[in-house]
Amino acid sequence: MTAPRPRRTTLKRVAERAGVSLSTASLVFSGKGPVSEETAARVRTAATALGYRGPDPVASSLRAGRSGVVAVVVESPLTLALRDPYAVQVLDGLADELGRDGLGLLLLAQDPHDLDELGARTATMAMDAAIFPFCGPSTNPLVETLAGRGIPIIGSGAPEDTRVTHVRVDEAAAQGLAVRHLLELGHERIGHITLPLRPHATTTGVQAMEVEHAAYPDARERARGFLALVTGPVVQAAAADVTEGEAAARLLLGLPEDERPTAIVAQSDLLAAGAIRAATSLGLRVPEDLSVTGFDGIDVPWLDQTLTTVDQPGAEKGRRMGAMARAAIGGDAPIATSYDVMLRRGTTSGPPKRLRPRFPSL
Amino acid sequence: MTAPRPRRTTLKRVAERAGVSLSTASLVFSGKGPVSEETAARVRTAATALGYRGPDPVASSLRAGRSGVVAVVVESPLTLALRDPYAVQVLDGLADELGRDGLGLLLLAQDPHDLDELGARTATMAMDAAIFPFCGPSTNPLVETLAGRGIPIIGSGAPEDTRVTHVRVDEAAAQGLAVRHLLELGHERIGHITLPLRPHATTTGVQAMEVEHAAYPDARERARGFLALVTGPVVQAAAADVTEGEAAARLLLGLPEDERPTAIVAQSDLLAAGAIRAATSLGLRVPEDLSVTGFDGIDVPWLDQTLTTVDQPGAEKGRRMGAMARAAIGGDAPIATSYDVMLRRGTTSGPPKRLRPRFPSL
DNA sequence: AAGAGGTGTCGAATCGTTTCGAGTTCAGTG
DNA sequence: CACTGAACTCGAAACGATTCGACACCTCTT
């Protein structure tokens, strides 16, 4: 496209100057093979004299057949995806694990409005493996491109494709933990706030049907886990943030009093935090008037409560995917694994207050 | 290190199968040079038959002398740096701008405890340019490594090095905007909460001396801007988050009543949000009892107020740095630019309430 | 003194493209 | 009919490294 940069000093020039062969010079820098200390010193002197900074990574990669880069695909604008501290945790674990092996993390943000744009770029970008670490849509055209290039693909549930090796959590069962906890506390009317079920979602009530046809498998599975245990109103949030969580909760809390849930199960901590805000602004106390559970186990420092939540260690999940990518690059056939999560009780859940007891006392 | 992947189908094989020369086949895929439609079709058929997915990016890069990758250095763990929505905004703008040109974004997280570890990796990683988009320390050993390899470096204030081309904001003047605004409202006792001035900072009061010797230039400049206009207590926050902002504000608000500031100028919106929390929990109303200003102009959806803040469009800044990297790769000598920011008034600043008027009325 | 074994060095092949300059073909012109 | 271009195709030379096998030399054994 543009003017190539002035050619760097090459190993060949260094070798010439040191009066040794190219292969010997290479041996000095790679540290493999035997080289006499004297020769090595001569080569190093020549290198510094010429300003040679070590072998060109691209040439090494070509020869080695590996680029040392792992692509991490974020299926939405970064401002959206990384607004959630949980996503950042995963990314952090990923970066750490990949870095440990000298692998680079190529961040690819996919514009949901123009999925193919990234496809074109992906086709011409060097990478040894690709990871879809976040809750994305169940199908993604990128998988085709990547798999076609023979690049191993790691995911965490999405995309749902046989060519993707997953680090999976049983999302339905995990969400069930929260529901069961509330049932045990005695709640009978429980509402549910889901993550977006599809691109361009709006904050609105949804039916079981729509859950089944959701484009995002994580949201779908969690909602299934909820619906498997209780029949209750389900509201979809337009995004995984506080604002939409608050809006969604308002819909649930706006129901007639005898239908209004005494507990809300949210699919993410940020949504739960929004629900608590909604409750507070409606004059409801948490957990006395409303119990709220989250999902992820992030730190919400501005919340005066500790969320009851399904704790999912994000950094660990990221590390796990990083390790799988590493293994896949090493030539091992990657193996799907799964993952256990736990309910962590906080201060936002408690027994329901029966305003009008069903069986009035004397 | 590990077993090389099975060699992919090469252009040569495709050319052979199509019965054309290697160079012609290359022309078909690159779209340059004239190729008859018939030949092109034959090549494409051969390609699909062999499962050829286009030229190997690494080989292309070697030939072109450019890797198409721009490194973005984050000088702290991602969980820390990306906790701030402002950083995410910058990253988003950066990703967008780089993507526009088909450039990849290589995310490098630098462990502050082991600066050199990343140095070693950086030396062997293919990249055409490097960006330090965040408020980092004023010196960084990475600059030496990168500059030595002839890689153009873009920054936003830090590291302070002649080899780094900056997109600069006059931080001192920008912070001054907030201070002046409060002075105009009539405040006389104004406190300041700074971002960390050095690695491993603790939340504690600091003297002007320590400001001058700060390791982080952004924090230093803003504090200078503050101190140039008023003499007031300065507290350093250990991190740019709500919790530390709250702790820092507590220190300021714990001063004896006649020294206690009637306004707090925070160096970031998250810190300001923390300060508001501190005020609220101490029974102070904002802005009646305490005015608070932030810095960045992020969205804080859980705050019931709109922050008065120094608005710094993050995405735009990111885009700007991306464009500079692009230009530098194109061979243009990058030019440092600077940047104007504006004060945005919100609901968190107002005139001070004089508890004990200095000149009591009759 | 011949053979074995270890060190150190080197030439050449290879990784998979892109591109330059040269060559071929063929239609159109004078 | 010879001549000029344009349209197409091709061979060969990069790009900058790594690595394999061969070779030379030296030091021990027996």
Side-chain angles (χ1 to χ4, degrees):
Chain A
M1 339 264 142
T2 38
R5 283 201 270 132
R7 291 296 173 190
R8 61 190 341 248
T9 315
T10 84
L11 189 52
K12 188 173 166 192
R13 291 247 301 274
V14 174
E16 279 164 6
R17 167 134 182 171
V20 300
S21 79
L22 178 56
S23 29
T24 302
S26 172
L27 258 21
V28 172
F29 283 97
S30 68
K32 312 180 178 175
V35 179
S36 76
E37 192 38 60
E38 189 205 331
T39 313
R42 237 184 22 256
V43 171
R44 274 190 283 264
T45 317
T48 24
L50 293 172
Y52 180 77
R53 298 283 174 161
D56 181 333
V58 176
S60 295
S61 292
L62 175 59
R63 180 66 233 241
R66 325 195 298 113
S67 64
V69 167
V70 173
V72 171
V73 183
V74 181
E75 290 138 317
S76 61
L78 297 180
T79 37
L80 232 109
L82 301 185
R83 163 161 320 179
D84 192 336
Y86 176 71
V88 176
Q89 274 181 31
V90 173
L91 200 58
D92 196 52
L94 212 39
D96 185 55
E97 186 68 27
L98 295 177
R100 202 173 293 284
D101 224 40
L103 294 169
L105 191 164
L106 185 71
L107 195 63
L108 297 174
Q110 191 173 29
D111 180 354
H113 299 284
D114 185 2
L115 294 172
D116 292 330
E117 182 270 336
L118 182 56
R121 277 198 287 144
T122 309
T124 64
M125 203 126 257
M127 61 186 78
D128 295 336
I131 305 183
F132 292 79
F134 304 123
C135 308
S138 52
T139 66
N140 193 323
L142 230 51
V143 173
E144 187 59 38
T145 312
L146 294 167
R149 278 178 60 193
I151 293 171
I153 311 175
I154 315 291
S156 71
E160 294 180 310
D161 190 302
T162 51
R163 294 167 293 188
V164 180
T165 309
H166 290 286
V167 175
R168 205 185 283 281
V169 166
D170 184 341
E171 304 280 351
Q175 190 65 89
L177 294 175
V179 179
R180 231 178 281 264
H181 167 63
L182 293 169
L183 289 174
E184 280 162 13
L185 286 170
H187 289 271
E188 293 179 345
R189 293 194 308 277
I190 307 180
H192 189 40
I193 303 179
T194 76
L195 291 163
L197 295 165
R198 58 188 67 262
H200 319 299
T202 51
T203 298
T204 171
V206 294
Q207 304 302 316
M209 251 307 242
E210 300 173 63
V211 167
E212 289 308 311
H213 293 119
Y216 296 103
D218 294 63
R220 185 192 63 213
E221 289 307 308
R222 291 181 197 172
R224 277 186 183 160
F226 173 84
L227 291 170
L229 295 175
V230 296
T231 311
V234 178
V235 172
Q236 163 186 243
D241 63 26
V242 177
T243 312
E244 299 302 334
E246 189 170 347
R250 277 227 157 75
L251 290 180
L252 289 172
L253 298 174
L255 291 171
E257 196 175 343
D258 56 344
E259 291 177 37
R260 178 196 289 169
T262 60
I264 291 181
V265 171
Q267 286 193 358
S268 104
D269 287 346
L270 288 184
L271 293 176
I276 292 174
R277 274 181 62 77
T280 311
S281 75
L282 292 172
L284 299 173
R285 289 162 306 161
V286 174
E288 291 81 356
D289 302 319
L290 181 74
S291 287
V292 177
T293 69
F295 202 115
D296 287 342
I298 61 166
D299 204 31
V300 190
W302 47 267
L303 204 64
D304 293 308
Q305 311 236 15
T306 311
L307 269 175
T308 295
T309 191
V310 180
D311 197 11
Q312 201 187 182
E316 172 58 23
K317 196 169 175 183
R319 256 192 291 277
R320 201 110 148 206
M321 288 190 273
M324 286 175 62
R326 231 165 52 173
I329 292 174
D332 305 346
I335 314 165
T337 59
S338 71
Y339 213 80
D340 281 334
V341 297
M342 278 184 12
L343 185 79
R344 194 174 64 202
R345 296 181 189 201
T347 61
T348 61
S349 59
K353 189 177 65 181
R354 300 203 184 279
L355 287 175
R356 286 179 276 157
R358 293 186 158 191
F359 307 100
S361 48
L362 292 191
Chain B
M1 337 269 141
T2 37
R5 280 201 271 131
R7 292 293 174 191
R8 58 192 339 251
T9 317
T10 84
L11 189 52
K12 188 173 168 193
R13 290 248 299 273
V14 173
E16 278 163 6
R17 168 136 184 170
V20 301
S21 80
L22 180 55
S23 31
T24 302
S26 171
L27 257 21
V28 171
F29 284 97
S30 70
K32 311 179 177 173
V35 178
S36 76
E37 193 38 59
E38 189 205 330
T39 313
R42 233 180 30 252
V43 171
R44 273 189 285 264
T45 317
T48 25
L50 293 172
Y52 181 76
R53 299 282 173 159
D56 180 330
V58 175
S60 294
S61 291
L62 175 59
R63 180 65 234 235
R66 324 195 299 111
S67 64
V69 167
V70 174
V72 171
V73 183
V74 181
E75 290 138 317
S76 61
L78 297 181
T79 36
L80 232 108
L82 301 185
R83 162 163 320 181
D84 193 337
Y86 176 71
V88 176
Q89 273 180 36
V90 173
L91 200 58
D92 195 51
L94 211 40
D96 185 55
E97 186 68 26
L98 294 176
R100 202 174 290 285
D101 226 40
L103 293 170
L105 190 165
L106 186 71
L107 195 63
L108 297 174
Q110 191 172 29
D111 180 354
H113 300 283
D114 184 3
L115 293 171
D116 292 328
E117 181 270 335
L118 183 56
R121 278 199 285 145
T122 309
T124 62
M125 203 128 256
M127 61 185 80
D128 295 336
I131 305 183
F132 292 79
F134 304 122
C135 307
S138 52
T139 66
N140 193 324
L142 231 50
V143 173
E144 187 59 37
T145 312
L146 294 167
R149 278 177 61 193
I151 294 171
I153 312 176
I154 316 290
S156 71
E160 294 181 308
D161 189 304
T162 51
R163 295 167 292 188
V164 180
T165 310
H166 290 285
V167 175
R168 206 186 283 279
V169 167
D170 184 340
E171 304 280 351
Q175 190 65 88
L177 294 175
V179 179
R180 232 178 279 265
H181 165 64
L182 293 168
L183 289 173
E184 279 162 14
L185 286 170
H187 290 272
E188 295 179 342
R189 293 194 308 278
I190 307 181
H192 189 40
I193 303 179
T194 75
L195 292 165
L197 294 166
R198 58 187 68 261
H200 320 300
T202 51
T203 298
T204 170
V206 293
Q207 302 303 317
M209 252 305 243
E210 300 173 61
V211 166
E212 288 310 310
H213 293 118
Y216 296 102
D218 293 64
R220 184 192 63 213
E221 288 308 307
R222 290 182 197 172
R224 278 186 182 159
F226 173 84
L227 290 170
L229 295 174
V230 296
T231 312
V234 178
V235 172
Q236 163 187 245
D241 63 27
V242 177
T243 312
E244 299 302 332
E246 189 170 347
R250 278 226 156 76
L251 291 181
L252 290 171
L253 298 174
L255 291 171
E257 197 175 344
D258 56 343
E259 291 177 37
R260 177 196 290 168
T262 61
I264 292 181
V265 171
Q267 286 193 357
S268 106
D269 288 347
L270 288 184
L271 293 176
I276 292 174
R277 275 181 62 78
T280 310
S281 74
L282 292 171
L284 299 172
R285 289 161 307 160
V286 174
E288 290 80 359
D289 304 319
L290 181 75
S291 287
V292 177
T293 68
F295 202 115
D296 289 340
I298 60 167
D299 204 32
V300 189
W302 48 268
L303 205 63
D304 292 307
Q305 312 236 15
T306 311
L307 269 175
T308 295
T309 191
V310 180
D311 197 11
Q312 200 187 182
E316 171 59 22
K317 197 169 175 184
R319 256 193 290 277
R320 204 104 149 212
M321 289 189 273
M324 286 175 62
R326 232 165 52 174
I329 293 174
D332 306 347
I335 314 164
T337 59
S338 70
Y339 213 79
D340 280 336
V341 297
M342 278 184 11
L343 184 79
R344 195 173 64 201
R345 295 179 191 204
T347 60
T348 61
S349 58
K353 189 177 66 177
R354 300 202 185 279
L355 286 176
R356 287 180 274 156
R358 293 186 159 193
F359 308 101
S361 47
L362 290 192

